[in-house]
């Protein structure tokens, strides 16, 4: 087994926890003395990790947004004068909320890069590789860190921001690129485009390692991407609020996403009681950052549903616990339809099991007082009886897997939206009138 | 195959000495191009030492608290 940083990755658990506590103490001290926001929230005299989780209040997104609104753009949240920032990033604000805005110092940015290096090196990326990063290179923190991590690893980077899918496919083939960073949604889009171009990615390109992050995805989607590219897909995740990548998928065990514990404490709490849950139980991820000096995070309620497992269930030798399957879904992604809990990943799992389906969109509507699921699927040029048969098969599989029979219709090829970033394929339209 | 997981004590001492030297140089140097390079090198080295569990004074200490006061005043207003 090769490690990016063996000392930290294989440190005995007891030493690691002591190290985390010393870092937490210093982080709290920095925040208390340097941030107006944290000075008001941090209780006095925290004596241990247990005392911290007992007395430190949970931080919700609304708290951060209120602090930013109080003194824009960054508000009272920072622990440093923003003049020391070397980068600015922000969330999309697509949920209707204002964006969360952050800045990073030079030291913060090197750490962010290093967390991506931890993921990439441990996934097999080496200096002789060529990497293509396919995202918008805009305000989202997204894959910016991957770009700089590839550079630090000594790889050759092909920055593909803003290029159309056909050009990306040509770059992959012409340059024999081995490493690819993108969202699962965009990977599916590239597969569709390659098909239209007559390119067999597994045969004609040379992609070996795909870092697919920023969205929960179904196992079926992962499998489809791996088959189409002939490459291994790895999971990784980070957030704008935390600043960096906090987990990466281990090559030793499928779905074991190790937490980069020297720089983060990940609690898992029951979504309603907000009490800790045990290993193997679902709960909400609550993050404490131990590194960033510009914008600090203590007990951030992320809304991400995860399952934590002990490090020794993975055979890689790392002493970092792992999230089984990474981020399984968001608390607010779950919808109740006629008493059945439905998530976007469940729907994706059904739709992706039909190789004819290249894109889809689903919505929940109230029709004559009854909640129903409406699915639009693109399936190339299928028409007539074949189209009706496909719709019936999709509806049947949906009913069998999820317990609800949806209305299914085929959409014209290319008519449904494609995205490179955070695809939204389940829309709750119950507030709209439907006949 | 397992790669090297730790520094030797000599390597660790050498890196720490380099870090201190760079810190002193960065504080004293007024040549913009050199100062920028030193700042970047210090940040890189800090992350590398951290990965080896070398504990240093972790946080930047601003000389002025004017920003803190301005943000607090704005929030109150």
């Amino acid at each position: 087994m090769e490690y990016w940083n063996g000392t930290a990755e294989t440190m005995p658990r007891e030493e690691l926890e002591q190290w985390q506590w010393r870092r937490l103490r210093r982080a709290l001290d920095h925040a208390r003395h340097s941030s107006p926001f944290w000075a008001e929230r941090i209780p006095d005299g925290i004596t241990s990790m247990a005392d911290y989780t007992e007395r430190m209040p949970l931080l919700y997104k609304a708290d951060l947004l209120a602090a930013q609104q109080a003194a824009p753009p960054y508000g009272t949240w920072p622990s440093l004068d923003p003049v020391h920032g070397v980068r600015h990033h922000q969330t999309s604000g697509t949920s209707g909320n204002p964006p969360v805005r952050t800045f990073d110092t030079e030291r913060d940015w090197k750490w962010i890069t290093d967390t991506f290096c931890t993921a990439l090196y441990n996934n097999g990326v080496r200096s002789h590789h060529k990497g293509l990063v396919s995202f918008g290179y805009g305000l989202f923190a997204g894959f910016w860190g991957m770009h700089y991590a590839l550079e630090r690893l000594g790889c050759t980077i092909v920055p593909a921001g803003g290029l159309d899918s056909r050009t990306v496919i040509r770059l992959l083939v012409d340059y024999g690129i081995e490493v690819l960073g993108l969202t699962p949604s965009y990977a599916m889009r590239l597969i569709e485009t390659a098909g239209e171009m007559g390119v067999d990615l597994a045969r004609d390109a040379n992609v070996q390692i795909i870092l697919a992050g920023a969205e929960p995805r179904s196992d079926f989607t992962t499998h489809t991407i791996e088959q189409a590219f002939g490459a291994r897909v790895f999971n990784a995740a980070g957030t704008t609020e935390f600043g960096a990548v906090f987990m990466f998928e281990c090559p030793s065990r499928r779905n074991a996403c190790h937490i980069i514990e020297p720089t983060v404490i990940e609690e898992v709490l029951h979504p309603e009681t907000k009490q800790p849950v045990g290993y193997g139980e679902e709960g909400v991820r609550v993050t404490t950052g131990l590194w960033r000096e510009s914008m600090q995070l203590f007990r951030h309620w992320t809304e991400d549903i995860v399952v934590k497992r002990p490090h020794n269930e993975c055979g890689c030798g790392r002493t970092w616990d792992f999230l089984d399957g990474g981020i399984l879904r968001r608390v607010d992604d779950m919808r109740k339809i006629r008493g059945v809990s439905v998530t976007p990943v469940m729907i994706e799992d059904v739709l992706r099991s039909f190789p004819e389906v290249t894109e889809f969109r689903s919505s929940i509507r109230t029709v004559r007082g009854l909640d129903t699921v409406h699915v639009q699927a693109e399936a190339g040029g299928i028409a007539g009886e074949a189209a009706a048969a496909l719709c019936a098969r999709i509806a049947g599989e949906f009913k069998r897997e999820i317990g609800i029979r949806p209305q299914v219709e085929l959409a014209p090829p290319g008519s449904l939206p494609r995205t490179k970033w955070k695809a939204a394929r389940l829309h709750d339209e119950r507030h709209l009138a439907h006949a | 195959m397992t790669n090297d997981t730790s520094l030797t004590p000599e390597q660790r001492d050498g890196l720490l000495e380099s870090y201190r030297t760079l810190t002193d140089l960065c504080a004293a140097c007024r040549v913009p191009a050199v100062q920028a390079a030193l700042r970047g090198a210090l940040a890189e080295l800090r992350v590398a030492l951290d990965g080896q569990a070398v504990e240093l004074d972790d946080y930047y200490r601003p000389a002025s608290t004017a920003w803190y006061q301005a943000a607090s005043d704005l929030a109150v207003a």
Side-chain angles (χ1 to χ4, degrees):
Chain A
M1 180 61 62
E2 295 195 22
Y3 305 106
W4 172 244
N5 224 327
T7 299
E9 290 174 46
T10 60
M11 179 180 280
R13 190 78 203 165
E14 194 178 333
E15 279 180 43
L16 175 62
E17 286 169 6
Q18 288 168 358
W19 190 23
Q20 284 183 313
W21 164 237
R22 288 194 297 275
R23 302 185 79 148
L24 175 61
R25 229 172 28 193
R26 284 197 291 268
L28 289 168
D29 185 50
H30 174 60
R32 192 185 288 110
H33 289 99
S34 309
S35 162
F37 176 74
W38 289 116
E40 284 184 4
R41 290 179 71 95
I42 298 173
D44 288 333
I46 290 174
T47 55
S48 65
M49 195 74 90
D51 189 28
Y52 168 74
T53 55
E54 175 77 24
R55 291 202 289 139
M56 184 75 199
L58 291 167
L59 173 75
Y60 297 96
K61 187 169 186 173
D63 300 324
L64 286 180
L65 291 174
Q68 297 213 319
Q69 290 295 94
Y74 303 111
T76 53
W77 178 23
S79 300
L80 276 180
D81 187 335
V83 77
H84 296 293
V86 297
R87 301 184 69 89
H88 166 94
H89 286 291
Q90 63 185 55
T91 56
S92 60
T94 47
S95 56
N97 289 319
V100 174
R101 306 178 197 95
T102 63
F103 67 90
D104 288 291
T105 65
E106 189 151 15
R107 204 197 78 161
D108 289 338
W109 189 252
K110 303 298 184 195
W111 159 67
I112 290 164
T113 302
D114 193 72
T115 60
F116 264 98
C117 284
T118 306
L120 291 169
Y121 187 90
N122 288 329
N123 291 164
V125 179
R126 296 295 182 269
S127 60
H128 61 272
H129 285 141
K130 296 175 288 297
L132 186 143
V133 185
S134 191
F135 93 117
Y137 282 87
L139 285 168
F140 293 132
F143 287 90
W144 274 107
M146 179 171 175
H147 177 101
Y148 288 95
L150 287 168
E151 190 175 288
R152 178 183 278 177
L153 287 166
C155 302
T156 306
I157 305 161
V158 180
L163 297 179
D164 63 86
S165 303
R166 285 176 173 263
T167 308
V168 171
I169 299 284
R170 278 195 293 272
L171 284 169
L172 290 177
V173 173
D174 293 348
Y175 291 91
I177 285 161
E178 296 99 342
V179 182
L180 181 57
L182 74 186
T183 60
S185 294
Y186 194 57
M188 296 301 292
R189 171 65 175 150
L190 289 183
I191 293 166
E192 183 186 5
T193 304
E196 291 164 5
M197 294 167 71
V199 172
D200 179 341
L201 288 165
R203 185 195 62 208
D204 304 331
N206 187 35
V207 179
Q208 296 160 20
I209 297 164
I210 298 175
L211 191 74
E215 293 169 355
R217 70 306 193 67
S218 71
D219 287 343
F220 205 92
T221 297
T222 301
H223 178 73
T224 303
I225 297 169
E226 290 193 333
Q227 289 295 306
F229 280 90
R232 174 83 191 263
V233 172
F234 291 99
N235 195 352
T239 65
T240 302
E241 291 88 341
F242 173 60
V245 167
F246 62 85
M247 64 159 215
F248 66 93
E249 186 174 349
C250 188
S252 298
R253 176 176 157 144
R254 171 73 77 176
N255 285 331
C257 295
H258 286 290
I259 302 162
I260 306 179
E261 293 197 84
T263 63
V264 68
I265 296 167
E266 292 286 4
E267 299 171 66
V268 184
L269 305 186
H270 189 281
E272 283 156 22
T273 66
K274 300 189 176 169
Q275 293 302 304
V277 301
Y279 282 129
E281 292 179 56
E282 275 195 9
V284 174
R285 190 172 69 83
V286 172
T287 292
T288 292
L290 298 174
W291 226 95
R292 204 183 201 183
E293 61 181 353
S294 54
M295 318 282 280
Q296 294 180 275
L297 213 54
F298 299 101
R299 304 201 78 214
H300 179 220
W301 179 268
T302 63
E303 306 268 337
D304 293 336
I305 298 286
V306 295
V307 171
K308 194 198 274 193
R309 293 193 180 278
H311 64 91
N312 51 13
E313 287 187 14
C314 180
C316 68
R318 289 182 186 83
T319 52
W320 300 348
D321 287 346
F322 64 89
L323 302 178
D324 202 358
I327 296 167
L328 301 176
R329 61 180 183 278
R330 304 265 306 161
V331 171
D332 49 11
D333 276 349
M334 176 84 78
R335 296 285 182 274
K336 282 273 187 187
I337 305 167
R338 287 182 255 157
V340 178
S341 298
V342 180
T343 67
V345 169
M346 290 163 71
I347 295 175
E348 183 180 345
D349 223 8
V350 171
L351 271 297
R352 294 287 187 216
S353 69
F354 290 87
E356 307 94 318
V357 174
T358 53
E359 190 53 79
F360 64 91
R361 181 188 190 278
S362 53
S363 54
I364 310 166
R365 299 174 177 178
T366 304
V367 180
R368 291 187 289 279
L370 193 66
D371 287 349
T372 57
V373 178
H374 185 254
V375 174
Q376 290 175 288
E378 283 184 28
I382 295 178
E385 282 183 17
L390 177 61
C391 290
R393 283 195 292 127
I394 292 172
E397 184 67 6
F398 205 103
K399 169 74 177 168
R400 197 176 68 80
E401 287 292 324
I402 301 177
I404 296 170
R405 185 172 294 278
Q407 296 174 350
V408 183
E409 65 175 350
L410 294 192
S415 64
L416 298 177
R418 267 72 166 172
T419 178
K420 282 189 178 182
W421 197 252
K422 292 190 185 288
R425 297 193 181 89
L426 175 60
H427 302 265
D428 196 337
E429 297 175 351
R430 282 179 280 198
H431 59 290
L432 303 173
H434 293 286
Chain B
M1 186 187 78
T2 299
N3 58 347
D4 285 347
T5 58
S6 303
L7 297 173
T8 64
E10 293 75 24
Q11 289 169 333
R12 180 187 155 113
D13 289 349
L15 277 175
L16 266 172
E17 193 180 328
S18 302
Y19 185 78
R20 291 189 192 110
T21 304
L22 289 175
T23 303
D24 292 345
L25 273 171
C26 196
C29 178
R30 291 290 171 267
V31 180
V34 178
Q35 196 179 40
L38 288 169
R39 206 177 56 232
L42 264 173
E44 290 281 8
L45 197 48
R46 180 67 190 81
V47 172
L49 286 164
D50 188 74
Q52 291 296 313
V54 176
E55 296 184 43
L56 297 164
D57 184 18
D58 266 336
Y59 292 100
Y60 178 78
R61 295 288 177 203
S64 163
T65 57
W67 163 81
Y68 182 110
Q69 198 53 52
S72 301
D73 291 348
L74 198 55
V76 169

